[in-house]
Amino acid sequence: MINDNIAKIRSRIDGACRECGRDPLSVALIAVTKGHSARDILQILESGVLFIGENKVQEVLSKFQAVGASKYSGQVKWHMIGHLQTNKVRDAVRMFDLIHSVDSFKLASAIDKESAKIGKVQDILIEVKTSHEESKFGVRPADLGVLVQEISGLSHLKLKGLMTMAPSGGYPSAAVPYFSELKKMFDFVNGSLGRDRKMSELSMGMSGDFEEAVKCGATMVRIGRALFEG
Ligand SMILES: *Cc1c(COP(=O)(O)O)cnc(C)c1O
């Protein structure tokens, strides 16, 4: 089932790329496995998807160990896509290859400090709150420029790009304005960054709206439900 679903999702991503003249290889599928077992993760890895997204440090600890003991150890890349509390940062920098959800200087500083302790430069994305839903995390667009500047002073962080979530429950096309806004911010911020600091990643699009996200420039889509349905 997971295998078939991944093939379908991948072909839809590729189709969206073709429609807008993008290289399908420029879009990574992040398999979101929150609420699912290490066994499910191994099946996903078996299908050739090596990017795994989780949203709770507590939940991923045991899965991280199980996958680490498998033949995929060293190949899998772990993505933290959920809100990160500062008291979980120590564990997070030890497990995650990319943290999508940095939305304050306080959190960035905590990640920088813990990364320094283990001699790591942690790849991060800044989560931007493009929608006005109260429940969503993320930095406000008006505060993005300042946060980017502040983060550039932290030597154990590497800012790779931006992430957002469109409001849930709408038609796929309703997500387009939020994705386009993030893409605009991405281009604007990149214009202000030196050549060696340019961002390359735009993380946007979920099961309900990933084709729209691809057409708006996503380089990473985060897919959960669509992997497991059927
Ligand atoms: C759960 C989650 C996803 C995946 O959502 P689906 O609708 O299940 O595809 C993507 N991004 C974040 C931040 C999530 O929490």
Side-chain angles (χ1 to χ4, degrees):
M1 175 187 83
I2 290 178
N3 216 14
D4 292 345
N5 287 341
I6 287 177
K8 279 185 212 147
I9 294 162
R10 192 64 244 185
S11 91
R12 285 173 61 193
I13 293 172
D14 296 357
C17 284
R18 247 178 278 117
E19 271 186 56
C20 60
R22 293 186 58 193
D23 178 357
L25 292 176
S26 68
V27 183
L29 168 55
I30 315 296
V32 176
T33 52
K34 63 188 183 202
H36 293 273
S37 65
R39 267 178 78 114
D40 287 333
I41 295 180
L42 290 172
Q43 230 185 311
I44 289 166
L45 299 172
E46 197 69 49
S47 311
V49 173
L50 296 171
F51 302 125
I52 300 297
E54 288 277 343
N55 70 341
K56 288 200 187 81
V57 169
Q58 213 50 37
E59 184 184 328
V60 77
L61 285 166
S62 63
K63 300 184 200 177
F64 184 80
Q65 283 198 327
V67 173
S70 77
K71 65 177 173 181
Y72 296 104
S73 155
Q75 294 180 57
V76 53
K77 300 288 180 200
W78 295 88
H79 291 239
M80 174 59 181
I81 62 170
H83 181 64
L84 183 56
Q85 290 168 303
T86 47
N87 64 356
K88 298 286 182 355
V89 165
R90 188 177 176 280
D91 285 331
V93 300
R94 283 164 172 75
M95 294 190 289
F96 290 104
D97 297 283
L98 179 65
I99 298 173
H100 291 229
S101 48
V102 175
D103 63 356
S104 71
F105 185 61
K106 180 172 168 248
L107 177 58
S109 304
I111 296 171
D112 183 67
K113 198 170 132 205
E114 289 298 336
S115 300
K117 284 188 195 163
I118 57 169
K120 179 182 188 184
V121 175
Q122 175 71 56
D123 286 342
I124 61 158
L125 308 180
I126 292 178
E127 179 173 358
V128 182
K129 182 181 152 86
T130 49
S131 84
H132 298 288
E133 283 183 16
E134 283 308 319
S135 60
K136 295 282 190 302
F137 294 102
V139 65
R140 288 186 305 146
D143 300 328
L144 175 61
V146 171
L147 184 57
V148 168
Q149 267 208 318
E150 289 173 332
I151 284 177
S152 71
L154 300 175
S155 56
H156 290 86
L157 290 191
K158 170 87 178 126
L159 176 62
K160 303 288 284 185
L162 305 179
M163 180 271 230
T164 201
M165 281 174 87
S168 47
Y171 290 103
S173 59
V176 169
Y178 304 96
F179 297 154
S180 321
E181 195 191 346
L182 192 70
K183 167 68 168 144
K184 260 191 234 158
M185 287 187 265
F186 176 85
D187 291 338
F188 183 78
V189 170
N190 254 353
S192 74
L193 295 172
R195 191 192 293 238
D196 56 332
R197 286 190 188 269
K198 297 266 187 244
M199 304 184 293
S200 54
E201 307 301 334
L202 260 180
S203 168
M204 55 190 193
M206 316 193 337
S207 294
D209 52 25
F210 65 88
E211 286 154 307
E212 284 71 20
V214 167
K215 290 177 197 168
C216 293
T219 64
M220 294 179 172
V221 293
R222 310 179 306 268
I223 313 280
R225 280 173 300 131
L227 295 172
F228 300 101
E229 68 196 10

